[in-house]
Amino acid sequence: MSITSSVPEPITPDAPVVLHRPLLTQQWLDLAFVHWAVDPAAVAALLPAGTTPDTLDGATFVGLVAFRMHRVGWWRMPGVPYFGSFPETNVRLYSVDEHGRRGVVFRSMDASRLLPVVLGRLGFRLPYVWSRMSVRTAGDTVGYTSVRRVPGPRGAYSRLVVRPGERIAEPTDLEHFLTARWGMHNPFSGEAGFLPNDHPRWPLHRATLISCEENLVRSAGLPAPTGDPVSVLYSPGVPVRLGRATTGPPRG
């Protein structure tokens, strides 16, 4: 199906729509954002129908994002303290749909709690996988480890260590592009849909990548990264609300 041409929405550091009746609430904590530039043609076929790679200066990006999910809850109920809190590591791409909505597309989502993995796969058709994981602080560094259990490829892994620096007063265009994402594109109910989110403006820190050993990117069907990342960021985190997935044009 051909995609109707539409001007992408502007990138804004604050959510364009406030979700007054969220489907899910959660916190994303201790995030490391590691990104490499990639040719849009190399990833276009991996995006849902109705979307194309979102680009900045002719490039798009693959992100390895490691963090702690904390107290996932339904609607306005309190977050679940054990099953709703776990490490997670995502491989993601950047997308724009025929209505101009910018988003992310998850190619893999490793998580350490089996129940959220099953619910995410069955309820949202998200590419969650069950992994052994940890997030640990040692001195001025934060380390993230992940080794995949099921489904495979079994043993796919990621080991990151970052050193957060000073807080960023004004993010660059690239830093806004990679982090100011107010929804995800994913096949819902048999067709591509958009699931919105909102949260306070990111508190971002530039970070030094101390070490990076991983094959999650290649396991997600993407070219293995070569060379240094174009961006390494850290955030202590934000509270997040997610809305219901919609298909078709935005609802005004």
Side-chain angles (χ1 to χ4, degrees):
M1 181 180 69
S2 63
I3 298 176
T4 303
S5 177
S6 180
V7 176
E9 295 176 342
I11 297 171
T12 59
D14 299 299
V17 177
V18 176
L19 301 172
H20 296 290
R21 296 181 179 178
L23 177 64
L24 289 167
T25 60
Q26 53 201 238
Q27 296 177 55
W28 300 338
L29 304 177
D30 296 323
L31 298 96
F33 301 87
V34 183
H35 283 90
W36 294 267
V38 63
D39 184 347
V43 302
L46 301 176
L47 301 181
T51 68
T52 57
D54 197 4
T55 61
L56 181 69
D57 297 330
T60 192
F61 304 88
V62 54
L64 187 65
V65 182
F67 62 105
R68 290 191 298 115
M69 185 79 81
H70 186 58
R71 296 186 73 92
V72 176
W74 290 94
W75 300 290
R76 294 183 179 274
M77 294 187 294
V80 180
Y82 176 77
F83 290 107
S85 298
F86 48 88
E88 183 168 328
T89 298
N90 298 331
V91 175
R92 73 187 200 184
L93 300 173
Y94 294 85
S95 52
V96 59
D97 65 24
E98 57 195 317
H99 309 294
R101 293 175 298 201
R102 299 178 187 266
V104 299
V105 171
F106 293 108
R107 290 295 300 166
S108 65
M109 306 172 78
D110 288 69
S112 65
R113 293 274 187 263
L114 180 57
L115 181 59
V117 166
V118 172
L119 292 176
R121 291 182 71 89
L122 295 180
F124 293 91
R125 297 187 63 188
L126 291 170
Y128 267 108
V129 292
W130 187 32
S131 299
R132 294 187 300 273
M133 307 183 74
S134 69
V135 178
R136 293 192 175 94
T137 300
D140 61 351
T141 65
V142 186
Y144 310 81
T145 64
S146 176
V147 180
R148 190 165 295 173
R149 288 168 160 158
V150 291
R154 188 174 178 86
Y157 67 92
S158 173
R159 292 185 287 271
L160 297 175
V161 179
V162 301
R163 177 179 292 117
E166 294 184 359
R167 182 165 176 174
I168 301 170
E170 180 55 43
T172 65
D173 289 346
L174 175 60
E175 289 162 348
H176 275 312
F177 181 93
L178 298 174
T179 60
R181 293 280 149 172
W182 304 111
M184 67 174 170
H185 292 109
N186 196 60
F188 295 105
S189 302
E191 57 182 312
F194 183 78
L195 192 153
N197 70 71
D198 77 24
H199 56 73
R201 187 174 297 199
W202 282 110
L204 290 174
H205 300 246
R206 294 194 182 100
T208 301
L209 185 61
I210 304 300
S211 63
C212 177
E213 301 174 28
E214 64 84 30
N215 63 7
L216 295 185
V217 173
R218 187 178 61 191
S219 297
L222 296 157
T226 58
D228 294 332
V230 296
S231 175
V232 182
L233 300 171
Y234 171 84
S235 177
V238 289
V240 183
R241 297 181 293 191
L242 281 74
R244 290 167 175 79
T246 61
T247 58
R251 296 172 182 174

